[in-house]
Amino acid sequence: MSRLPVSASKRALSSSSSENGQDFGPAQKKICKDRETVKPRAAATIVGGRRPAVGPTKAPISRPVRAGGAATVAVGPSRGKMSVGGATKRQPWDLKGKVSDMEGKVRNFQTKIKSVNQENEVLKDTVVQSHTKVVEMEKTLARQRNQISEYEKELQALLGVRDKLEKVSGDKSLLEKELSNLEGKYKVMETLRDSQETELQTLKMKLSVQESALARLQTTLTNTEEEVSRLKDTVVQQKDELHAGEMERRRLHNTIQELKGNIRVFCRVRPLVEGGLSKHIQLPASDNKTITLAKTEESHTGKTSDTQKNYNFNFDRVFGPQASQHEVFEEISLLVQSALDGYNVCCFAYGQTGSGKTYTMEGSEYDDYRGVIPRAVKQIFRAAEKLGAQGWEFTFTASFVEIYNETLRDLLFTGKASKRPEHEIRKSTNNEVTITNLTYQKVSSEDQVLGLIMLANQNRSTAQTAQNDRSSRSHSVFQLDIEGVNVGRDVKCKSTLCLVDLAGSERMLKSQSQGERFKEMTAINGSLSNLGIVISALANKVCKETYLGKEEPDSFGETLNSLRFASKVSCIHVCFNVPS
Ligand code: ADP
Ligand code: MG
């Protein structure tokens, strides 16, 4: 439907209706008002015609508006009409009829105009509505666009969320795996926990048992502590008693030693190389203090029979050829104990070369054959250790000197032979004798002392090779300085144990001794006779005897001499060695 023909017909309609001044209802009124200025036309002849009821009938918008046409106008039959082939034709004279036709046509047109106007109004409304709708639609569209952009934004956000979701679901699957792992572990842990709980229960039971045991023990402990404190008091008391007892023991022991004789002489008879005892020597089985030297003397005249001359000697103890190192030391050990008690003890081995002096003093390295020096040291160290429990602390210093031709030689010297120093004997203000430049070695074990004996032997053998059989013509002196202190009791002791292996006591024929030998002989004889004098003086005995004037180079004579010397110094701490 086109709008243009509608407005054209509207114009035509307006002019005619205003001319007639007819009331066409509100719609028409409005149109008329708009068109007041339009001049009336000549066609205003339609007044008085029958007209259909015109009202504000509303044609449906959808109804098509037909263009006006005569063909559709129905006009009632009238006079003067001629019907030609269905069409009615007025007679030229029939003006009235023609007017009536015209009026009918006008009415038709008016009707059409009305309906068209109505349609037009309806359309206007529709247009307005449509405009409104369009505006609304545009608004809606804008809203929807906005919404779409919002949706797009949301979509973007959702895409982000989707990514996140994917990531999260990836994480989730990982976590799920982890979870299943953890669940597995958890189960293991549960099993473990169960077993531990069982164990815990067992332990709790044990603990309760232990606790009750502990309670019992605590009671016992309290009792024991009381007992201990009582015992401590007793120990203190007993320590005091022990100390007093130890001091008493020392006093008694040393009184006994004094009563036995401060100077004691033991005689040891060496076995023959082939074993056994020499025919000159007789050792009475009943007695271990006597020795008899027997000699058969031929008759000078030959008329009388040979006579046997016996020389009897008594000693503190006589050891036969079977006596072991241990047996010999047993006698000496009492004096060694005195050394630890603070008494000076000196032990000499006297006798001719080969009589067993060095064997007795040093012995060999095998345990059973060890001599007096290692045994004495061992005893001292052991006793010192025991006294340690009573608060005694000891220090031991060893020295080893060789005296040859009245000169001293350090047997513990370890430096170069060319740097060997000279020594002098010095006496300090408190009567202590020291030797200058001598090695004083601190010792604390038997092994250390054995090492020193070995070192001394090395030093001796060096001198030995330079000078044949030198050791038999020199004295060697082992000295152990003992210092003890008992701090708790404020007691001190200081003593010296001196073990001397003297030079061979054999005498040489003066006529055969020349040069060095004569010098040695003089030195040895001088020192030994001085020793005899000193020992005798110590024993408070004036020595009136002299050596036999007659010199005898044989073994018998030497033995006799030794025994006489020993008798002279009677009761020395001497282990007297005589060859069989
Ligand atoms: P000295 O030192 O008096 O010159 P030795 O001690 O060197 O004498 O002894 C000389 C030899 O006699 C050594 O071979 C030694 O082993 C041996 N001897 C000494 N006394 C005994 C003894 N009581 N038992 C066994 N052998 C001994
Ligand atoms: Mg010797």
Side-chain angles (χ1 to χ4, degrees):
M1 189 173 67
S2 162
R3 287 185 183 195
L4 195 59
V6 173
S7 48
S9 34
K10 191 168 100 178
R11 249 195 315 273
L13 183 68
S14 307
S15 57
S16 59
S17 60
S18 65
E19 277 168 16
N20 293 321
Q22 288 173 330
D23 188 13
F24 294 109
Q28 280 84 355
K29 267 184 195 167
K30 192 174 180 274
I31 295 166
C32 289
K33 213 175 173 184
D34 291 345
R35 301 293 179 228
E36 260 173 7
T37 50
V38 180
K39 296 274 189 219
R41 286 190 196 164
T45 52
I46 55 171
V47 179
R50 240 176 72 200
R51 38 176 197 174
V54 176
T57 53
K58 279 190 181 170
I61 296 168
S62 57
R63 202 178 71 190
V65 177
R66 266 187 283 163
T72 58
V73 177
V75 181
S78 62
R79 287 180 303 169
K81 276 184 186 177
M82 252 184 351
S83 186
V84 183
T88 313
K89 197 166 175 183
R90 296 281 176 188
Q91 294 297 322
W93 47 270
D94 193 7
L95 284 171
K96 228 181 171 178
K98 280 183 181 180
V99 167
S100 158
D101 286 347
M102 286 302 286
E103 280 173 349
K105 279 182 182 177
V106 166
R107 275 193 300 274
N108 272 345
F109 276 123
Q110 279 175 339
T111 313
K112 277 185 183 176
I113 284 165
K114 274 181 192 170
S115 73
V116 165
N117 275 340
Q118 280 170 357
E119 276 178 21
N120 205 8
E121 285 303 311
V122 170
L123 282 172
K124 269 185 184 173
D125 286 349
T126 313
V127 166
V128 169
Q129 277 175 9
S130 294
H131 267 296
T132 320
K133 275 190 181 170
V134 164
V135 169
E136 273 173 18
M137 290 289 274
E138 277 173 351
K139 281 182 186 168
T140 313
L141 190 65
R143 264 200 319 276
Q144 282 176 345
R145 275 192 189 129
N146 281 340
Q147 228 165 356
I148 284 170
S149 79
E150 273 170 26
Y151 285 152
E152 276 174 348
K153 281 181 194 164
E154 263 178 52
L155 186 67
Q156 285 304 319
L158 283 170
L159 283 174
V161 168
R162 193 189 64 189
D163 289 350
K164 275 186 191 169
L165 185 69
E166 275 171 7
K167 197 170 165 290
V168 166
S169 62
D171 288 353
K172 187 189 147 197
S173 72
L174 279 179
L175 286 170
E176 275 172 351
K177 276 185 195 165
E178 213 171 308
L179 182 70
S180 82
N181 273 347
L182 286 172
E183 276 173 351
K185 282 185 186 170
Y186 180 71
K187 276 183 187 154
V188 174
M189 295 299 280
E190 269 185 337
T191 322
L192 202 65
R193 188 201 60 194
D194 290 348
S195 71
Q196 282 183 345
E197 266 176 11
T198 319
E199 210 174 315
L200 186 70
Q201 288 306 320
T202 318
L203 285 172
K204 272 183 183 170
M205 278 164 64
K206 280 187 185 170
L207 183 71
S208 76
V209 172
Q210 292 292 328
E211 273 174 347
S212 52
L214 184 70
R216 278 199 306 280
L217 283 173
Q218 266 170 342
T219 320
T220 318
L221 181 70
T222 319
N223 294 341
T224 313
E225 274 174 347
E226 284 167 11
E227 181 69 21
V228 165
S229 88
R230 272 199 304 278
L231 286 173
K232 272 185 183 169
D233 293 345
T234 317
V235 165
V236 171
Q237 199 185 330
Q238 285 184 344
K239 270 189 177 172
D240 288 348
E241 282 171 16
L242 187 66
H243 178 70
E246 166 65 17
M247 298 317 267
E248 183 64 7
R249 183 203 62 74
R250 283 185 185 195
R251 198 183 61 75
L252 290 174
H253 172 81
N254 292 291
T255 309
I256 292 168
Q257 299 313 310
E258 276 169 33
L259 289 172
K260 273 190 163 183
N262 265 343
I263 298 171
R264 253 171 274 169
V265 183
F266 307 127
C267 175
R268 185 180 196 183
V269 182
R270 206 205 85 178
L272 289 170
V273 179
E274 63 273 19
L277 192 64
S278 159
K279 57 179 169 46
H280 300 302
I281 298 171
Q282 288 163 16
L283 300 171
S286 58
D287 185 10
N288 58 11
K289 292 183 190 268
T290 318
I291 182 170
T292 306
L293 215 61
K295 192 177 183 186
T296 315
E297 285 183 355
E298 288 173 23
S299 162
H300 293 291
T301 55
K303 288 174 185 167
T304 51
S305 61
D306 293 350
T307 53
Q308 185 171 317
K309 202 174 178 191
N310 283 348
Y311 301 88
N312 293 319
F313 297 95
N314 285 308
F315 295 104
D316 292 283
R317 176 84 192 259
V318 175
F319 298 100
Q322 315 299 331
S324 66
Q325 298 280 62
H326 170 73
E327 276 175 74
V328 174
F329 181 72
E330 260 188 351
E331 280 295 329
I332 298 169
S333 74
L334 297 171
L335 295 162
V336 171
Q337 178 62 51
S338 295
L340 201 62
D341 293 345
Y343 293 81
N344 291 330
V345 173
C346 201
C347 181
F348 299 95
Y350 177 94
Q352 68 186 88
T353 301
S355 59
K357 299 183 295 296
T358 308
Y359 180 87
T360 302
M361 296 309 268
E362 291 179 16
S364 77
E365 67 209 63
Y366 303 107
D367 269 0
D368 284 352
Y369 300 103
R370 281 194 182 146
V372 171
I373 298 176
R375 283 171 195 268
V377 167
K378 188 175 179 176
Q379 184 190 337
I380 283 178
F381 287 154
R382 285 210 176 150
E385 208 178 301
K386 278 186 191 163
L387 285 171
Q390 292 176 37
W392 282 93
E393 269 180 45
F394 285 94
T395 47
F396 303 102
T397 315
S399 58
F400 219 145
V401 209
E402 181 190 64
I403 305 166
Y404 174 75
N405 273 356
E406 290 172 4
T407 53
L408 299 170
R409 193 161 177 272
D410 184 1
L411 289 179
L412 302 182
F413 180 73
T414 48
K416 281 185 182 169
S418 55
K419 301 229 168 127
R420 195 175 260 285
E422 291 198 347
H423 307 279
E424 273 177 50
I425 298 173
R426 294 232 174 105
K427 205 173 181 184
S428 68
T429 42
N430 54 358
N431 271 342
E432 271 180 26
V433 175
T434 50
I435 298 171
T436 58
N437 304 321
L438 190 71
T439 309
Y440 286 100
Q441 182 72 52
K442 286 251 180 306
V443 284
S444 55
S445 76
E446 196 191 346
D447 284 346
Q448 265 179 306
V449 176
L450 291 174
L452 295 185
I453 293 173
M454 274 166 68
L455 176 63
N457 281 332
Q458 276 170 20
N459 269 316
R460 266 198 295 246
S461 64
T462 321
Q464 188 89 6
T465 38
Q467 207 177 4
N468 191 33
D469 199 21
R470 174 182 161 129
S471 72
S472 68
R473 302 191 299 278
S474 60
H475 313 296
S476 55
V477 183
F478 173 82
Q479 189 168 313
L480 187 72
D481 295 323
I482 304 165
E483 272 190 75
V485 59
N486 190 332
V487 180
R489 309 265 169 203
D490 198 22
V491 204
K492 279 183 186 174
C493 67
K494 194 172 181 186
S495 58
T496 301
L497 171 69
C498 205
L499 303 168
V500 187
D501 184 355
L502 290 168
S505 60
E506 60 274 13
R507 291 158 166 259
M508 277 167 273
L509 286 172
K510 272 181 186 156
S511 55
Q512 286 172 359
S513 305
Q514 290 169 346
E516 271 303 299
R517 281 281 182 274
F518 182 74
K519 201 173 143 193
E520 282 172 0
M521 192 197 75
T522 321
I524 295 165
N525 287 345
S527 62
L528 289 180
S529 61
N530 279 339
L531 178 70
I533 293 161
V534 169
I535 293 170
S536 298
L538 282 172
N540 205 14
K541 284 185 177 176
V542 181
C543 179
K544 287 185 181 145
E545 276 183 65
T546 50
Y547 290 111
L548 287 176
K550 193 182 170 197
E551 282 133 6
E552 291 164 301
D554 61 0
S555 166
F556 180 85
E558 287 306 327
T559 305
L560 189 61
N561 265 339
S562 296
L563 292 173
R564 280 177 176 159
F565 175 84
S567 293
K568 183 183 77 177
V569 299
S570 119
C571 310
I572 339 168
H573 298 152
V574 172
C575 188
F576 231 104
N577 296 81
V578 290
S580 307

